[in-house]
Amino acid sequence: MRARFDLRVVALALSVACTTGIAQGTEKIDSIVGHAVAVVGSARILSARQSSPIAQDATISQGDTIETGADGYVYIATVDHGFISVRPDSSLTFERFQYDAAAPKQSVIKLVLHKGTMREVSGQGAQAARDHYRLNTPVAALGVRGTDFSVFTTADTTRADVRSGGIVMTPLGDSCLSSGSGPCEGPAAAQLFADQANTMLQVDRGSTHPLLVENRLPVISPQGAATQKSEDNAARSATEQTQGGVGVAPLELQFMHAIPEQTPRTVTPAPVPAPDPTPAPSVPAPPPKPEAQQVFWGRFAPLASQPADTTLDALLQQGSQRVDINMLFAMTRTPQPDMVMPAQGVFEFGLQKSAAYLVNAAAGTAVPGTISNASLSIDFGKRAFTTRLDLNASESTHSIVGRGAIGNDGILTSDYGSPASIHGALAGKTATQAGYLFLQSIDSKTMAVGATQWAR
């Protein structure tokens, strides 16, 4: 049975937030972030003094951290007329929140999303002082362009999408330090705006530039449409009421899991922990493990004194997908149900492994060759690829050239007019691996046959 908030309690909480904001008028607010207008499930507030459950209409101050459990949600109406939602299994710190109602451009806001998911509708402070707004995650820094956006992060990956306005995202590193304030600009930064539908920005630990990828995975809103609807209603209520209008009470604040109806409760502060005289030194996060190889090829036909490669047979029996087969080679790919290809950008891949032969089918001969000057370029915006390489065999060099299209499933297929027949596949979480088999006629009797493996 779906649980509902008591709308009268939510409306009263929003009214208190509104009255507080009006009473303060143009006074400068140095430490108050806002108020918790809705609290559901397991959620705590960690301050310099104590850790305790969050109560309805609790005051959130600069320096506080909001932590939610597996069923926890916290909606916050901020003093600069904005809205923040902290979703389940998340941790968000208000490292700095200084809003000057008399001079919003002087505001300074810095948040840290340690893990999980949050949504923010930027308030007047964030919109007026964009050069002084920063949201850090373990791997990225975000700035705003007057925005309604959501962010999901783990220790190694950050993804963000935009409902209105825009954001700028930059990987943390030497040119963008977590200790900084304001957005990190420059060649390592990328922007995303609301008119770029069904896309999101992604930064992985160690990457030098954000990827613009298809937003077809439920990572930004894992709790589904019910969460989105409740956030929309609460955001509208919070922003309209704190701006002094009548406001719109949330029509429906529901969640997909069953929770008991909220009842008033007495919050008992947890004991104040004794200070640690010797804080433990920070330990840097370990580097992410490289992705396992997911595109494989082997020579299925025996050649000269060399037997056929039986590795692919075992892979196929384990559920690997067959990509292609030509007169000498076969290729397989690990199933890719979660692969997300970049939505735009041209990326260069480097050759990792290859094998090639000059085959004379009439004579029954195959002369081994070596590959050099290899390149593979993929334009994800156009879903097209171009490739070339030199095949050196029998004291001669032959240029192998191919071009073609990339399907939605990441399969590479050469165009009709391509000199080389190319068939292959992309693989990896963000399409960082590739492989293809090629055939190209050298003369009326000789055919170039080969297999390649690539990475970016």
Side-chain angles (χ1 to χ4, degrees):
M1 178 177 180
R2 291 184 174 178
R4 298 174 180 267
F5 289 107
D6 188 327
L7 300 185
R8 292 171 294 180
V9 174
V10 175
L12 176 60
L14 291 171
S15 298
V16 172
C18 171
T19 304
T20 303
I22 295 173
Q24 288 166 333
T26 59
E27 294 180 1
K28 186 172 182 178
I29 304 171
D30 285 331
S31 61
I32 302 300
V33 173
H35 296 81
V37 296
V39 180
V40 174
S42 173
R44 302 184 68 81
I45 181 169
L46 284 67
S47 67
R49 299 175 301 280
Q50 65 181 22
S51 169
S52 61
I54 303 177
Q56 193 81 33
D57 197 41
T59 298
I60 313 298
S61 301
Q62 177 175 279
D64 287 348
T65 296
I66 306 299
E67 290 189 349
T68 55
D71 62 345
Y73 293 80
V74 179
Y75 291 171
I76 301 167
T78 61
V79 294
D80 68 335
H81 316 317
F83 169 81
I84 292 175
S85 166
V86 186
R87 295 182 185 168
D89 286 321
S90 302
S91 176
L92 175 67
T93 295
F94 295 92
E95 184 173 308
R96 192 171 180 187
F97 203 102
Q98 295 178 325
Y99 170 60
D100 188 345
K105 290 185 178 180
Q106 313 249 340
S107 302
V108 179
I109 298 174
K110 187 174 183 180
L111 314 179
V112 181
L113 181 63
H114 305 281
K115 67 171 185 174
T117 309
M118 65 166 285
R119 176 183 173 189
E120 179 175 346
V121 180
S122 300
Q124 293 180 359
Q127 294 188 39
R130 299 174 186 176
D131 291 341
H132 304 291
Y133 174 95
R134 165 78 73 88
L135 169 64
N136 278 341
T137 73
V139 296
L142 283 83
V144 297
R145 302 287 190 256
T147 309
D148 177 355
F149 67 102
S150 299
V151 182
F152 163 84
T153 194
T154 65
D156 296 318
T157 300
T158 295
R159 301 184 180 102
D161 65 4
V162 179
R163 290 171 61 85
S164 69
I167 59 172
V168 57
M169 181 188 286
T170 311
L172 291 176
D174 294 339
S175 61
C176 183
L177 300 177
S178 60
S179 58
S181 61
C184 293
E185 307 283 1
Q191 298 187 91
L192 177 66
F193 293 92
D195 60 358
Q196 295 169 276
N198 301 318
T199 58
M200 61 184 177
L201 283 177
Q202 175 171 311
V203 168
D204 294 309
R205 183 175 295 278
S207 61
T208 59
H209 193 275
L211 285 177
L212 187 64
V213 300
E214 294 175 306
N215 189 3
R216 64 183 179 89
L217 297 178
V219 292
I220 296 298
S221 183
Q223 287 77 35
T227 296
Q228 193 76 64
K229 182 176 181 180
S230 68
E231 285 181 351
D232 289 345
N233 290 329
R236 185 171 66 250
S237 295
T239 55
E240 290 183 2
Q241 289 202 26
T242 54
Q243 291 169 359
V246 176
V248 180
L251 301 176
E252 182 182 26
L253 294 177
Q254 298 182 346
F255 294 91
M256 297 184 69
H257 59 285
I259 54 176
E261 293 188 2
Q262 299 300 293
T263 56
R265 59 179 175 176
T266 302
V267 178
T268 303
V272 180
D276 186 354
T278 56
S282 59
V283 179
K289 295 181 179 179
E291 282 190 283
Q293 183 61 38
Q294 298 175 56
V295 177
F296 307 92
W297 56 263
R299 187 172 45 75
F300 75 91
L303 190 65
S305 61
Q306 302 177 28
D309 184 355
T310 60
T311 303
L312 297 186
D313 292 334
L315 290 173
L316 290 169
Q317 291 175 5
Q318 296 168 12
S320 189
Q321 302 171 336
R322 189 179 113 173
V323 175
D324 191 34
I325 187 169
N326 62 25
M327 64 174 63
L328 291 180
F329 296 96
M331 177 168 286
T332 68
R333 179 179 69 168
T334 303
Q336 303 289 304
D338 298 328
M339 182 177 69
V340 180
M341 290 187 289
Q344 64 182 35
V346 179
F347 294 85
E348 303 298 327
F349 286 67
L351 185 65
Q352 304 295 303
K353 180 182 176 183
S354 64
Y357 294 87
L358 288 180
V359 177
N360 186 321
T365 60
V367 179
T370 59
I371 289 178
S372 61
N373 300 323
S375 66
L376 171 62
S377 179
I378 295 183
D379 186 330
F380 283 100
K382 296 180 179 179
R383 292 293 178 88
F385 72 89
T386 58
T387 186
R388 75 168 310 279
L389 50 87
D390 290 338
L391 171 56
N392 309 292
S394 297
E395 299 183 350
S396 60
T397 299
H398 308 280
S399 292
I400 309 301
V401 179
R403 61 179 181 270
I406 303 170
N408 291 333
D409 53 0
I411 296 298
L412 282 61
T413 306
S414 55
D415 294 337
Y416 178 76
S418 172
S421 173
I422 303 285
H423 291 279
L426 296 173
K429 184 170 58 176
T430 54
T432 55
Q433 301 178 23
Y436 69 74
L437 308 181
F438 67 84
L439 290 170
Q440 181 172 312
S441 295
I442 302 301
D443 54 39
S444 60
K445 298 180 179 179
T446 309
M447 179 79 69
V449 183
T452 60
Q453 189 172 301
W454 310 73
R456 63 175 171 89

